[in-house]
Amino acid sequence: SEALAAARRQVADASANSSTAQQRLREREAVAESVEGRVSLLEALLSQREAELRQAAVVRRALHNQVQELKGNIRVFCRVRPPSKDGREERVDGGGGRDGDKPLLSLATRGEMAGRRVCVAPPGGTKAFEFDFDRVFGADASQRDVFEEISHLVQSALDGYKVCVFTYGQTGSGKTYTMLGDGEDDERERDDHSRLDGEPLDGDEGETNPSRGLIPRSIEQIFAARDAAAAAAAEDRGATPPSLEVTASMIEIYNEDIIDLLGPKSSSSSGSTTKHDVKHDASGKTTVTGLRTVAVSSPAEVAKVMKRAQAARRTAKARSPCTGSHTTAIAW
């Protein structure tokens, strides 16, 4: 009958459609298996590259610090302060030697000691004296020039090595300027270190505050490294972001007394009864007892902490004028 024939045709069509669907399913399963195989291969390659990158980081760290050791674990730099524009200081390009026709101070610019030797010719003297350093920065050197020389040490600190940078010199020689700079909010004019004749020094162009010292620039490098590591971890699926906690402390030392510049106001004066001692544990870690540390998460927060510490330092000096400038400030 016609109904039976129609039913048979429907069964045949359904069977054909089923065969077609099964064929398509098998094709898609084959494609899925191929894709899964490619994904597995790519994951294996990615894992291999990540292992290579980790190994490269280990090698880089080792080679970097080998270079630093070859340069010397202890280095001494000399920075020449420009004469003041107010005329209170003598010029150094003349007046030296027996006849006063030699520069009082000159820097070696040729030979193997170029950029590493200072020659001093005392007025009326018959002999000039030479002093050798690991690096000499002339009066026209910018803050960036100085920082580029010690930025590798900041990287060593990030690699887990202990690093200490300090300045030493007479009052007014530029120690605080080199370490901290003038600061963007400082009302006084910038020191001649950052600007000569009103023009920016080479390498300062484009910087919002080229007078930033070694401490602010080091802090910026530390947080930049943290952000770069976090960004790299974010690109790596499932990777745990690196944990980096940054804390800041600042003390002042006068007559072997340690003053916590971030502690309570009473402890920021020379009359504080709080006793701070330097302790060394078995692992070689050095700490100062009773010292306040402040957690910071950005260069801006560090700047606020430094400003607070500097204010405490100035307040303590005002309370006890006899301390004068014979104090040492330490930040870490």
Side-chain angles (χ1 to χ4, degrees):
S1 67
E2 293 182 0
L4 181 60
R8 289 177 176 175
R9 287 195 297 271
Q10 289 179 355
V11 171
D13 293 339
S15 177
N17 291 336
S18 176
S19 299
T20 302
Q22 290 179 358
Q23 179 63 27
R24 290 178 179 176
L25 179 60
R26 286 193 292 269
E27 292 176 354
R28 291 180 180 180
E29 288 178 346
V31 171
E33 291 178 358
S34 176
V35 171
E36 289 178 355
R38 292 182 180 181
V39 170
S40 299
L41 177 60
L42 290 175
E43 288 179 344
L45 290 175
L46 179 60
S47 177
Q48 179 182 351
R49 295 295 182 267
E50 289 174 349
E52 292 174 353
L53 285 174
R54 287 192 292 270
Q55 178 61 25
V58 172
V59 173
R60 180 212 58 80
R61 185 181 300 114
L63 293 177
H64 171 82
N65 289 285
Q66 283 181 15
V67 171
Q68 301 311 307
E69 290 178 359
L70 289 174
K71 286 185 174 181
N73 288 329
I74 299 177
R75 305 176 210 170
V76 181
F77 301 151
C78 173
R79 188 178 191 183
V80 179
R81 186 189 189 283
S84 295
K85 293 181 180 179
D86 56 13
R88 290 182 299 176
E89 298 183 21
E90 291 187 34
R91 298 180 60 186
V92 297
D93 56 356
R98 174 182 295 180
D99 301 324
D101 57 346
K102 295 182 179 179
L104 290 171
L105 181 70
S106 59
L107 311 182
T109 57
R110 296 181 180 180
E112 61 177 331
M113 297 307 298
R116 299 172 55 195
R117 174 171 292 171
V118 176
C119 182
V120 179
T126 59
K127 181 181 179 181
F129 299 90
E130 295 180 343
F131 302 91
D132 296 341
F133 300 88
D134 292 288
R135 176 71 187 273
V136 175
F137 298 96
D140 59 345
S142 67
Q143 295 280 65
R144 176 186 290 183
D145 294 333
V146 180
F147 178 69
E148 284 180 353
E149 189 65 34
I150 68 103
S151 62
H152 306 291
L153 300 178
V154 178
Q155 181 59 52
S156 293
L158 290 169
D159 289 339
Y161 292 82
K162 294 182 179 180
V163 175
C164 175
V165 179
F166 68 92
T167 53
Y168 180 83
Q170 291 179 303
T171 299
S173 60
K175 302 183 297 295
T176 300
Y177 175 82
T178 295
M179 296 301 291
L180 296 176
D182 279 340
E184 293 180 335
D185 299 327
D186 202 329
E187 294 181 357
R188 71 186 187 280
E189 293 183 359
R190 287 182 177 177
D191 190 274
D192 287 326
H193 264 311
S194 62
R195 292 194 179 277
L196 299 173
D197 299 327
E199 296 296 331
L201 295 173
D202 292 340
D204 285 347
E205 296 82 352
E207 293 194 72
T208 55
N209 181 24
S211 69
R212 297 188 327 282
L214 299 185
I215 292 177
R217 292 173 186 266
S218 298
I219 293 299
E220 291 168 6
Q221 181 175 341
I222 290 172
F223 282 107
R226 180 203 62 178
D227 295 342
E235 294 178 358
D236 183 11
R237 295 175 301 171
T240 302
S243 176
L244 177 61
E245 180 182 358
V246 182
T247 58
S249 301
M250 190 164 182
I251 64 174
E252 186 173 34
I253 301 176
Y254 174 70
N255 281 347
E256 299 185 2
D257 291 330
I258 299 176
I259 303 170
D260 184 3
L261 295 178
L262 298 181
K265 292 183 178 180
S266 59
S267 68
S268 298
S269 64
S270 58
S272 172
T273 58
T274 304
K275 182 67 174 178
H276 302 285
D277 296 315
V278 179
K279 299 293 185 179
H280 307 281
D281 61 18
S283 64
K285 183 179 180 180
T286 302
T287 58
V288 178
T289 61
L291 189 64
R292 182 185 180 189
T293 59
V294 179
V296 290
S297 59
S298 69
E301 291 186 5
V302 177
K304 292 180 180 179
V305 171
M306 296 295 296
K307 187 175 181 179
R308 172 184 170 185
Q310 285 296 96
R313 190 182 185 196
R314 286 193 291 267
T315 301
K317 287 183 180 179
R319 292 174 181 170
S320 180
C322 64
T323 63
S325 60
H326 305 290
T327 60
T328 300
I330 302 176
W332 74 90

